[in-house]
Amino acid sequence: MKAKKKSASSSMDDVEALAKLLKKHELSEIELERSGVRIRLRRDLGGAGHMVEGMQAMTLPASAAPPAPTATEVTDGNISYITSPFVGTFYRASGPDTAPFVDVGTRVKKGQILCIVEAMKLMNEIESEVDGVIVQILAQNGHAVEYGEPLYKVKQE
Amino acid sequence: MKAKKKSASSSMDDVEALAKLLKKHELSEIELERSGVRIRLRRDLGGAGHMVEGMQAMTLPASAAPPAPTATEVTDGNISYITSPFVGTFYRASGPDTAPFVDVGTRVKKGQILCIVEAMKLMNEIESEVDGVIVQILAQNGHAVEYGEPLYKVKQE
Amino acid sequence: MFKKVLIANRGEIALRVIRACRELGIASVAVHSVADTNALHTRFADESVCIGPASAAQSYLHIPAIISAAEITGADAIHPGYGFLSENADFAETCEKCGIAFIGPTAKLMRLMGGKISARAAMTAAGIPILPGTGLLETDQQAISAAHEIGFPIIIKASAGGGGRGMKIVRDADKLIGQLETARAEALAGFGSAAVYLERYLEAPRHIEVQIVADTHGNCAAVGERECSIQRRHQKLLEEAPSIALSDIQRDELRTLCERAIAQVGYTNVGTLEFLLDEKGRFYFMEMNTRIQVEHTVTEMVTGLDLVREQINLAAGHRLSMTTDGGRFRPRGYAIECRINAEDPETFAPSPGRITALNLPGGFGVRVDTHVYEGYVVPPHYDSLLAKLVVHAEDRPAAIRRMARALGEFVIEGIKTNLEFHRQLVRHPDFVSGKLDTHFMERFQFVKP
Amino acid sequence: MFKKVLIANRGEIALRVIRACRELGIASVAVHSVADTNALHTRFADESVCIGPASAAQSYLHIPAIISAAEITGADAIHPGYGFLSENADFAETCEKCGIAFIGPTAKLMRLMGGKISARAAMTAAGIPILPGTGLLETDQQAISAAHEIGFPIIIKASAGGGGRGMKIVRDADKLIGQLETARAEALAGFGSAAVYLERYLEAPRHIEVQIVADTHGNCAAVGERECSIQRRHQKLLEEAPSIALSDIQRDELRTLCERAIAQVGYTNVGTLEFLLDEKGRFYFMEMNTRIQVEHTVTEMVTGLDLVREQINLAAGHRLSMTTDGGRFRPRGYAIECRINAEDPETFAPSPGRITALNLPGGFGVRVDTHVYEGYVVPPHYDSLLAKLVVHAEDRPAAIRRMARALGEFVIEGIKTNLEFHRQLVRHPDFVSGKLDTHFMERFQFVKP
C-alpha cells in the first residue's frame, strides 16, 4: 500500500483508516494526496500473486526465497545494500583466525573489501560500492548466500 | 461513470464512496484529481469474467445465452419485463389463424393473457403481472424460449 | 448414432459427458439453473438452455423443464449423469414416451435393479449371495433360531432407525434376548416403533463394487472392481482400482458371478453392483447403481475403456466394444481417485464461495476432472464436489506416491476444501498398507495443520 | 539413491523433474534467475537458489553458479533437463570433478554421441545406415561418379550454407554438371565459398526417433519410436507415438538395430536416436540427443514407463526396470503431444506477457505439463514453450479426436499462443490421414480465425 501525505499530524490515523478501507473493500491499493486532492484506489481482480503465495505456503515450508535485488540498491536517501554477485558461502574474514574485514559501525570507503563469497573453491572478495558506515550485517558468517542476496546495509556519507 | 467532488476536506468520505463504486462496477482502479479535474478509472479485463467470455467465444459459436432475469423485473421506474416461467415454445396467439393476444401499443391489465408458452404439449398461458402498455415484443413467435427469458417490455401505468 | 445429446446435469459430470460427445462428434446441449449461468458446462456445450431458478427441485430435478429443453433444441437423447434424475425411473419412462433416448437402462430395469428389495431378490435368484438376515421379528424364539442360522456376531437393527442409530451388536448367544429387549425399548423410545430385525454383523467389511457394461444384443462384461471402503456416512471419499483385497482367482470368480447375474436379468447399459467383502473373503451383494458413478474414472484408468463413450454407444444400440476375454481380462496398473470437496475438513460443513486462486496438478499419470476455474463462485445450492483427482501408476505404492505428489501441488484458495484431509489420508499407515474397511474413517483423525 | 537433486533448468521440464523427485522421495533444489523468482519451479521445489540475472548466459548457462548452488545446498546430483546445459559435455565433466552426479551419460559418451560427425561414424561402425553423401567435391568427375553411386535425386548443398539456402535438387544425371556450376556460383556469391557436397535427396522423409534407455550394467532397451515430422525450421510442433508409418516388423527391426548400436558404444542413461525414413521404408541415422527430450511424454503414455524416474534411477546405478522382451514389446494405444507456445500463430514471433485467463483441458486420456498459471508473466528471456498438451487413446483416430476436444477447451488469454494453429493442424486432411513428412509445414496454411 502506498499512502502519500503532507501533513504529519493526522497521518497515522489516516493510514489506519485507509488500511481498514482497503481490507473492507478488498482493495489492493489506495493512494491519497491531500493538498491537490489526489485519490487513487486499486483493487486487483486477478489473484495471481495470491496464488503464488499459496503455492509457496504449501510447497516451501521453511526456505522461502528472500527478495533478490539485482545490484546494490538505494532504497532510502542514504541507505545502500551491498548484495552478493555470486552464489556461494559468505565469509566475514579472510580466515578462521582472522578478524572480520568490517563490523557494524566500521566506516568503509568505496572499493574497500567487505567480505569473501566462496564459489567453487574460489575466494571472491566483495568490495564496497559506496563510502559510508556499516549499519547492519545481513548474512551469517559461513552460511550460503544466493545471487543478489543483501549482505550489508550501509549508511552512505 | 462520473465522480464529482464538492470540497477538499471531505476526501476521506470520498474514498469510501469511491471504494464502493470500485467494487460495484468491478473496476480495478479509480484515479481522481481535483484541481485539473482529472478522473481515471481502470478495470482489469483479466480474471474470471473475461475467461468465461473466452470459453464462450471458443465453444459457443452462435447460441450465446441471453441474460436470465429470474422474474418480472423492474429496471427503470416504470418499465417492466414479462419473462418466461417455462422452457418452451413461445406463441403470440392461441392458434395459427387467430390474432395475437397483444401487440406493441396494446394496453394491458394485470392478469390479462399475453401469450402462450408450450412445454411438453401443454399450452401455458402467460399473464401480465402489471397494468401498462406493451412497448416491445422481445421473443419471436414459434421460437424457443428459456426459463427467465424476457418476452415483453411493458411501460407501467 | 445420436445427433444431439442433452445433459440433464451440472458440474464435472456434465463436462465429462460433453467431452465424450465432442469425441464422438455428437452435438451437446447443457441445461442449467439461473445459478449456473457462468458454469463451465453452460459455456462449454454447443448449446445451453436455462431451465429454472437455482433450486434443484425447480431446475435439475424438474422433469418437464428438461424434456421441454430437449424438445426445443431437438436433442434425440438425454444423459442423466449421476445424482439428480439419474436413477429416476419415471424420468426414463417420460423420455421413452417423448421419443427421446434415455442414456441408461430401461425404466423397467431401473425399477427392478434400482429398488433395494427387488434387486436383492433378483440377485439372489441369479445366485449372488446377500448378507444373511431376517424380516421383522415377531417372537424371541424366532430371533433365537434366526440368529443361530445367521451365525454370530449379529446386529439388531431398528426398522425405523437408520444412519447407525438403534443398532446393537451381539457377539454371544447368551446376550441375545437381553440385547433384543434393550433394542426394542430404545427403538420404541427413539423412533416410536419397537420393530427390529437381525443381520449378520461384519466386523471389518470392505466396500467392493463391480463395473458392468452390457449391450442390447445380449453381451455383457464385468470390467473390474473398485475398492471404495473409505467412506464417511456412506459418502465415498477415495476410491481405488483394482482392490488389493482380491486375488486374481477371486477377481475372476466375482466377474463370472456378476456377468451371469447381469445376463440373467437382461440388464443393459452401464451399472455397478455393490458388495461387502468380509474378512473371510465372502461377498455379499448390497445394491445396484443403474447409472454411471462418480468413481468410474479409476476403472477407465486401469482398463483404458472410455466408460461414458461406451455408455452413449450402448444406448445407441452399439455392441460392446470389448469382452472380458474368457477371464483373461486384467487391470493394467493401479488407479486412485480423491474427491476434492468444498468443505471444512474438520466439520465437513460445505464451503461455497469464490475460488480466488487455483493451481491444478499435472504431469504423467495425473487426470483432473473439474468444472471449476479461477474466479468461479461455488454455488451453495448443489453438492460440494469440486474436482476428481485421479492418478495412475504401475502399482499401488507408486500410485499412492503419485497421489501425494499431485495433492501437494493442488491449490484452491478462497474457500475451504478437503485437500489437506486427503494429504493426510494418503500418508496414513493403514491406508498405505491397504488395511481398509468401511469403519476406516471412524479411526482416522484429521490433524489441523 | 540420491538424497537431493538440483535441477539446472526452468519451465515445465524443471517441474517434470521435481515431480519425479517427489515420487521417488528425493529432495529437490530449483535454481532460478531473477526473472524466475515467481516461477512455479522456484516455488515448487523443496529449496530454491537465485543464481543470476535474467540473462540465461549469466544464470541457467552459468556453470560456476549452478555448481556453487549444488554445493551450498548439498545436492548430490544435477538434472540438466533439455536445452541449456543438457548437452554440454564440459558441464557434465565439471559435475563429475566436483563429485556431483550428472543425470545423463558420461561426458565422454556425450562428446562421442553428441557430435554429429563422431556420432555418425560410431553408428556407421555399429551397422546403422546414414544418408549417402560425399565430402567436399574437388572435381566434376568426382561429383558424377558419387552421384551415380548415391542415386538420383540428389541434393547439392553449399558447405557454408544452411537453413535451406544454397541447395539444388538434381533429379536427372544430365543436369548434374550444369546445376553443379550454378550451385558453386551461387555459393560463392552468397557465402563467399564455392565449396559444395552431395547427399541423397529424400522427397518426403519422415522424422522418426527412437527412445533409448540404458543402465550401467550393460542392459539397454529401445522402448519405442516417435513420429516428429511436423516441424517448422527444425522446431518440432507436434509429436506422436507410435508412428503409423511402421509395421510391427519394421518396428522390431528398428528396435533391434538401435539396441545393438547402443550396446556397442556402451551408451548409458536416456537418449534418442533420430532418423529420416524415406518413402521406401529405409532409415537413415541423423543424430543422437544425449538427454531427455521435450516429447518424451508420448513414449511415456504408450509404454507406461516414467522416463524421468527411470533416468534418475539409471544415473544412480539402478538396473533397467524393463526390457523389450525379445521383441514382444508393443506400444499400448496412441499418444499425441502438441507444444503450446507463446507466439503469434502467423509470424511465429514470441509473445511474452501476463496470462490473464487460463483454463487447462482435463478428463480421460488428457495430460498437461505446464509451468504457467493465471497471472503468470511469461518472461521474454527464454523459450516460448508454455505447455505440453498430451493425449492418449486406443488408436490414432481416437487420439486425434481427443486432442481436438482438449485443444477446444484450452484457454490462454493475455498473450498470443499457437492454440488455434494446433486446432487447425489436427483437422488438416493430410494430418488426419497420416500423410506426414518433414515438408508438411511448407504445405500447411494457417487461416486467421
Side-chain angles (χ1 to χ4, degrees):
Chain A
M1 199 198 89
K2 290 177 197 170
K4 289 184 191 170
K5 292 239 319 131
K6 294 289 157 71
S7 91
S9 55
S10 64
S11 58
M12 281 314 291
D13 298 344
D14 280 349
V15 167
E16 185 164 17
L18 288 168
K20 279 178 185 164
L21 282 174
L22 201 70
K23 196 171 179 188
K24 182 180 170 190
H25 297 288
E26 295 181 310
L27 305 175
S28 65
E29 195 172 311
I30 295 179
E31 198 165 332
L32 178 71
E33 205 159 346
R34 205 47 129 207
S35 44
V37 193
R38 192 180 135 82
I39 297 167
R40 184 159 179 266
L41 308 180
R42 257 185 71 89
R43 183 168 171 256
D44 269 349
L45 298 175
H50 194 36
M51 180 184 84
V52 165
E53 281 169 46
M55 289 296 282
Q56 184 168 15
M58 286 190 205
T59 59
L60 278 179
S63 65
T70 54
T72 302
E73 194 183 312
V74 179
T75 51
D76 176 18
N78 54 355
I79 293 293
S80 281
Y81 289 89
I82 309 295
T83 63
S84 177
F86 306 103
V87 179
T89 308
F90 170 74
Y91 292 110
R92 290 186 51 201
S94 61
D97 306 321
T98 326
F101 292 105
V102 294
D103 235 317
V104 171
T106 305
R107 176 154 285 119
V108 297
K109 290 273 170 206
K110 189 174 168 182
Q112 184 176 336
I113 295 166
L114 301 180
C115 61
I116 283 167
V117 174
E118 181 198 342
M120 292 187 75
K121 316 278 180 269
L122 281 177
M123 299 296 171
N124 303 285
E125 293 174 341
I126 310 299
E127 300 175 354
S128 180
E129 307 251 327
V130 294
D131 295 345
V133 176
I134 304 289
V135 291
Q136 202 179 350
I137 302 171
L138 299 156
Q140 258 191 289
N141 189 49
H143 281 229
V145 290
E146 295 186 292
Y147 170 81
E149 186 167 339
L151 305 175
Y152 295 96
K153 185 174 175 181
V154 183
K155 188 171 182 184
Q156 274 182 266
E157 288 186 334
Chain B
M1 199 204 83
K2 288 172 188 174
K4 289 180 183 174
K5 279 189 60 339
K6 294 284 155 70
S7 78
S9 59
S10 64
S11 52
M12 282 304 292
D13 299 342
D14 285 342
V15 168
E16 182 155 23
L18 289 167
K20 281 177 183 165
L21 285 172
L22 201 68
K23 199 171 179 183
K24 182 179 169 192
H25 298 285
E26 292 186 313
L27 304 174
S28 66
E29 197 170 311
I30 296 178
E31 200 163 336
L32 179 71
E33 207 157 354
R34 187 74 186 110
S35 32
V37 193
R38 189 180 133 80
I39 297 168
R40 183 162 175 263
L41 307 180
R42 255 180 63 95
R43 182 162 177 263
D44 271 348
L45 291 178
H50 195 39
M51 179 185 83
V52 165
E53 281 169 46
M55 289 296 282
Q56 183 167 17
M58 284 187 208
T59 59
L60 278 180
S63 65
T70 54
T72 302
E73 196 185 307
V74 179
T75 51
D76 176 18
N78 54 355
I79 293 293
S80 282
Y81 289 89
I82 309 295
T83 63
S84 177
F86 305 103
V87 179
T89 308
F90 171 73
Y91 293 110
R92 290 186 52 201
S94 60
D97 306 322
T98 326
F101 291 106
V102 295
D103 235 319
V104 171
T106 304
R107 176 155 284 118
V108 296
K109 291 274 169 204
K110 189 175 169 181
Q112 184 176 334
I113 295 166
L114 302 179
C115 60
I116 282 168
V117 174
E118 181 198 342
M120 292 187 76
K121 316 279 179 265
L122 280 177
M123 299 297 170
N124 303 286
E125 293 174 340
I126 310 299
E127 300 175 354
S128 181
E129 307 250 327
V130 293
D131 295 346
V133 176
I134 304 289
V135 292
Q136 202 179 349
I137 302 173
L138 299 156
Q140 256 191 293
N141 190 50
H143 281 230
V145 291
E146 294 185 293
Y147 171 81
E149 185 166 340
L151 305 175
Y152 296 97
K153 185 173 176 182
V154 183
K155 187 172 183 186
Q156 273 183 267
E157 290 189 331
Chain C
M1 180 43 77
F2 308 122
K3 295 218 162 15
K4 197 185 270 191
V5 170
L6 180 143
I7 300 106
N9 216 302
R10 63 180 301 283
E12 69 83 20
I13 193 63
L15 277 185
R16 175 72 188 87
V17 179
I18 292 169
R19 284 169 172 157
C21 289
R22 280 271 152 81
E23 294 182 19
L24 282 164
I26 301 170
S28 54
V29 180
V31 296
H32 67 92
S33 72
V34 168
D36 277 340
T37 302
N38 289 324
L40 277 198
H41 78 283
T42 304
R43 300 293 174 179
F44 190 53
D46 295 312
E47 291 175 65
S48 72
V49 179
C50 182
I51 53 165
S55 149
Q58 295 173 267
S59 53
Y60 299 107
L61 289 167
H62 192 44
I63 296 177
I66 289 166
I67 298 288
S68 208
E71 287 179 341
I72 65 167
T73 55
D76 51 357
I78 293 183
H79 194 299
Y82 52 69
F84 292 132
L85 296 169
S86 62
E87 294 186 290
N88 184 320
D90 293 341
F91 178 56
E93 204 162 64
T94 306
C95 291
E96 287 165 24
K97 277 183 192 156
C98 296
I100 300 165
F102 177 83
I103 299 176
T106 59
K108 199 183 143 204
L109 281 162
M110 281 173 79
R111 287 206 177 91
L112 174 69
M113 297 308 295
K116 229 169 175 164
I117 292 162
S118 56
R120 285 189 190 205
M123 289 294 101
T124 303
I128 290 196
I130 63 166
L131 204 58
T134 68
L136 296 185
L137 296 170
E138 311 258 315
T139 66
D140 280 4
Q141 195 46 50
Q142 223 182 348
I144 291 165
S145 65
H148 280 93
E149 205 174 302
I150 293 166
F152 288 87
I154 58 158
I155 185 162
I156 310 170
K157 288 185 175 177
S159 177
R165 296 176 311 151
M167 294 184 179
K168 294 264 168 248
I169 298 159
V170 188
R171 298 179 195 278
D172 191 347
D174 295 352
K175 304 255 169 70
L176 180 62
I177 300 301
Q179 289 286 57
L180 211 50
E181 273 164 25
T182 314
R184 282 187 182 126
E186 284 182 14
L188 187 63
F191 318 112
S193 157
V196 296
Y197 63 97
L198 304 184
E199 226 174 55
R200 177 177 295 162
Y201 178 69
L202 304 182
E203 299 278 1
R206 287 169 181 263
H207 175 119
I208 305 281
E209 58 186 34
V210 178
Q211 178 66 52
I212 298 299
V213 287
D215 66 23
T216 50
H217 308 277
N219 309 302
C220 73
V223 295
E225 83 283 0
R226 294 185 285 261
E227 156 91 60
C228 313
S229 298
I230 297 183
Q231 306 184 350
R232 203 188 61 87
R233 296 188 186 168
H234 301 280
Q235 189 70 38
K236 293 165 190 162
L237 297 165
L238 178 150
E239 301 96 348
E240 314 178 19
S243 169
I244 52 163
L246 300 194
S247 66
D248 273 348
I249 291 168
Q250 277 178 299
R251 182 166 291 119
D252 290 340
E253 279 171 4
L254 182 61
R255 176 186 306 136
T256 309
L257 203 66
C258 291
E259 288 181 354
R260 204 172 52 212
I262 282 300
Q264 191 156 324
V265 298
Y267 189 82
T268 55
N269 211 259
V270 309
T272 302
L273 297 172
E274 295 193 328
F275 294 89
L276 289 179
L277 172 66
D278 74 9
E279 304 90 315
K280 292 176 183 156
R282 290 174 300 201
F283 283 96
Y284 305 102
F285 173 74
M286 284 193 297
E287 63 181 72
M288 181 169 196
N289 289 315
T290 59
R291 52 166 170 85
I292 195 79
Q293 281 185 286
V294 176
E295 63 272 23
H296 74 276
T297 54
V298 289
T299 302
E300 291 184 323
M301 301 304 267
V302 297
T303 62
L305 193 66
D306 186 325
L307 284 169
V308 176
R309 188 201 298 167
E310 195 75 9
Q311 191 184 17
I312 296 169
N313 280 334
L314 293 173
H318 289 209
R319 285 176 182 278
L320 270 192
S321 72
M322 49 78 71
T323 70
T324 50
D325 204 13
R328 271 170 295 147
F329 182 81
R330 288 280 175 273
R332 283 195 308 235
Y334 204 90
I336 304 176
E337 170 181 281
C338 286
R339 299 193 189 191
I340 312 304
N341 296 331
E343 66 186 22
D344 186 303
E346 289 181 289
T347 65
F348 301 97
S351 176
R354 182 179 296 273
I355 293 175
T356 55
L358 179 69
N359 191 62
L360 299 180
F364 188 38
V366 173
R367 166 181 177 180
V368 182
D369 280 58
T370 186
H371 59 291
V372 308
Y373 52 86
E374 192 162 313
Y376 176 67
V377 179
V378 179
H381 315 287
Y382 316 110
D383 77 47
S384 62
L385 185 67
L386 296 174
K388 303 190 305 202
L389 173 58
V390 188
V391 299
H392 185 227
E394 68 275 24
D395 55 27
R396 191 170 187 269
I400 292 174
R401 287 193 298 267
R402 185 157 286 162
M403 180 58 88
R405 181 277 281 181
L407 285 165
E409 60 193 69
F410 205 150
V411 178
I412 301 174
E413 289 181 12
I415 56 173
K416 289 178 183 172
T417 73
N418 63 352
L419 276 167
E420 180 57 27
F421 160 81
H422 280 292
R423 288 186 196 115
Q424 295 181 20
L425 175 58
V426 298
R427 285 197 301 262
H428 191 282
D430 281 0
F431 175 75
V432 171
S433 66
K435 271 195 272 169
L436 306 179
D437 62 71
T438 57
H439 304 302
F440 181 92
M441 282 303 296
E442 295 157 25
R443 304 189 298 267
F444 179 81
Q445 188 59 51
F446 177 76
V447 181
K448 201 168 179 172
Chain D
M1 180 44 76
F2 307 122
K3 296 217 162 12
K4 196 184 271 189
V5 170
L6 180 143
I7 299 107
N9 217 302
R10 63 179 302 283
E12 70 83 22
I13 193 63
L15 278 184
R16 175 71 188 87
V17 179
I18 292 168
R19 285 169 172 157
C21 289
R22 280 271 151 81
E23 295 182 19
L24 282 165
I26 300 171
S28 54
V29 180
V31 295
H32 67 93
S33 72
V34 168
D36 277 341
T37 303
N38 289 323
L40 277 197
H41 78 282
T42 304
R43 300 293 175 178
F44 190 54
D46 295 312
E47 292 174 64
S48 72
V49 180
C50 182
I51 53 166
S55 149
Q58 294 173 267
S59 52
Y60 298 108
L61 289 168
H62 192 44
I63 296 177
I66 290 166
I67 297 289
S68 208
E71 286 179 342
I72 65 167
T73 55
D76 50 358
I78 292 182
H79 194 300
Y82 52 69
F84 292 132
L85 296 170
S86 62
E87 293 186 290
N88 185 319
D90 294 341
F91 178 56
E93 205 162 63
T94 307
C95 290
E96 287 166 23
K97 276 182 192 155
C98 295
I100 299 165
F102 177 83
I103 299 175
T106 58
K108 199 181 143 206
L109 281 162
M110 281 173 79
R111 288 207 176 90
L112 175 68
M113 297 308 294
K116 230 170 176 165
I117 292 162
S118 57
R120 285 191 191 205
M123 288 295 102
T124 303
I128 289 196
I130 62 167
L131 204 58
T134 68
L136 296 185
L137 295 170
E138 310 257 315
T139 66
D140 280 3
Q141 195 48 50
Q142 221 181 351
I144 291 166
S145 65
H148 280 94
E149 205 173 303
I150 292 167
F152 289 87
I154 58 158
I155 185 162
I156 309 171
K157 289 185 176 178
S159 177
R165 297 176 312 151
M167 294 184 180
K168 295 267 167 241
I169 298 160
V170 188
R171 297 179 197 279
D172 191 348
D174 296 350
K175 304 253 169 72
L176 180 62
I177 298 300
Q179 289 285 56
L180 211 50
E181 274 163 24
T182 314
R184 282 186 181 125
E186 285 183 13
L188 187 62
F191 317 111
S193 157
V196 296
Y197 64 97
L198 303 185
E199 223 174 56
R200 178 176 294 162
Y201 178 68
L202 304 183
E203 299 277 1
R206 287 169 180 262
H207 175 118
I208 304 281
E209 58 187 34
V210 178
Q211 178 67 53
I212 299 299
V213 287
D215 66 22
T216 49
H217 308 277
N219 309 301
C220 73
V223 296
E225 83 284 0
R226 294 185 284 261
E227 157 91 59
C228 314
S229 298
I230 297 183
Q231 307 183 349
R232 203 188 61 87
R233 295 188 187 168
H234 301 280
Q235 188 70 37
K236 293 165 190 161
L237 298 165
L238 179 151
E239 301 97 347
E240 315 178 19
S243 168
I244 52 164
L246 299 195
S247 66
D248 272 349
I249 291 168
Q250 277 177 300
R251 182 165 291 120
D252 290 341
E253 279 172 4
L254 182 61
R255 177 186 306 133
T256 310
L257 203 67
C258 291
E259 288 180 354
R260 204 172 51 213
I262 282 300
Q264 190 156 325
V265 299
Y267 189 81
T268 54
N269 211 259
V270 309
T272 301
L273 296 173
E274 295 193 329
F275 294 89
L276 289 179
L277 172 66
D278 74 10
E279 303 90 314
K280 292 176 183 157
R282 290 175 297 202
F283 283 96
Y284 305 102
F285 173 75
M286 285 193 297
E287 63 181 72
M288 182 171 197
N289 289 314
T290 59
R291 52 166 169 85
I292 195 80
Q293 281 185 286
V294 176
E295 63 272 23
H296 74 276
T297 54
V298 289
T299 302
E300 291 184 324
M301 300 305 266
V302 298
T303 61
L305 193 66
D306 186 324
L307 284 169
V308 177
R309 189 202 298 167
E310 195 75 9
Q311 191 184 17
I312 296 169
N313 280 335
L314 293 173
H318 289 210
R319 286 176 181 276
L320 270 192
S321 72
M322 49 79 70
T323 70
T324 50
D325 205 14
R328 271 170 294 148
F329 182 80
R330 288 280 174 272
R332 284 193 309 234
Y334 205 90
I336 303 176
E337 169 181 283
C338 286
R339 299 192 189 192
I340 312 304
N341 296 331
E343 66 185 22
D344 186 304
E346 289 181 288
T347 65
F348 300 98
S351 177
R354 181 179 295 273
I355 293 174
T356 55
L358 178 70
N359 191 63
L360 299 179
F364 188 39
V366 173
R367 165 181 178 180
V368 183
D369 279 59
T370 186
H371 58 292
V372 308
Y373 53 87
E374 193 163 313
Y376 176 67
V377 178
V378 179
H381 314 287
Y382 316 109
D383 77 47
S384 61
L385 185 68
L386 296 174
K388 303 190 305 201
L389 173 57
V390 188
V391 299
H392 185 228
E394 67 274 23
D395 56 28
R396 190 170 188 270
I400 293 174
R401 287 194 297 269
R402 184 157 286 161
M403 181 57 88
R405 181 277 281 180
L407 285 165
E409 60 193 70
F410 205 150
V411 178
I412 301 174
E413 289 181 12
I415 56 173
K416 290 178 183 172
T417 74
N418 62 353
L419 276 168
E420 180 57 26
F421 160 81
H422 280 294
R423 288 186 195 113
Q424 294 182 20
L425 174 58
V426 299
R427 285 198 301 263
H428 191 281
D430 281 1
F431 175 74
V432 171
S433 66
K435 270 194 273 171
L436 307 180
D437 61 71
T438 57
H439 304 303
F440 181 93
M441 281 304 296
E442 295 156 25
R443 304 188 298 269
F444 179 81
Q445 188 58 52
F446 177 76
V447 181
K448 201 169 181 175

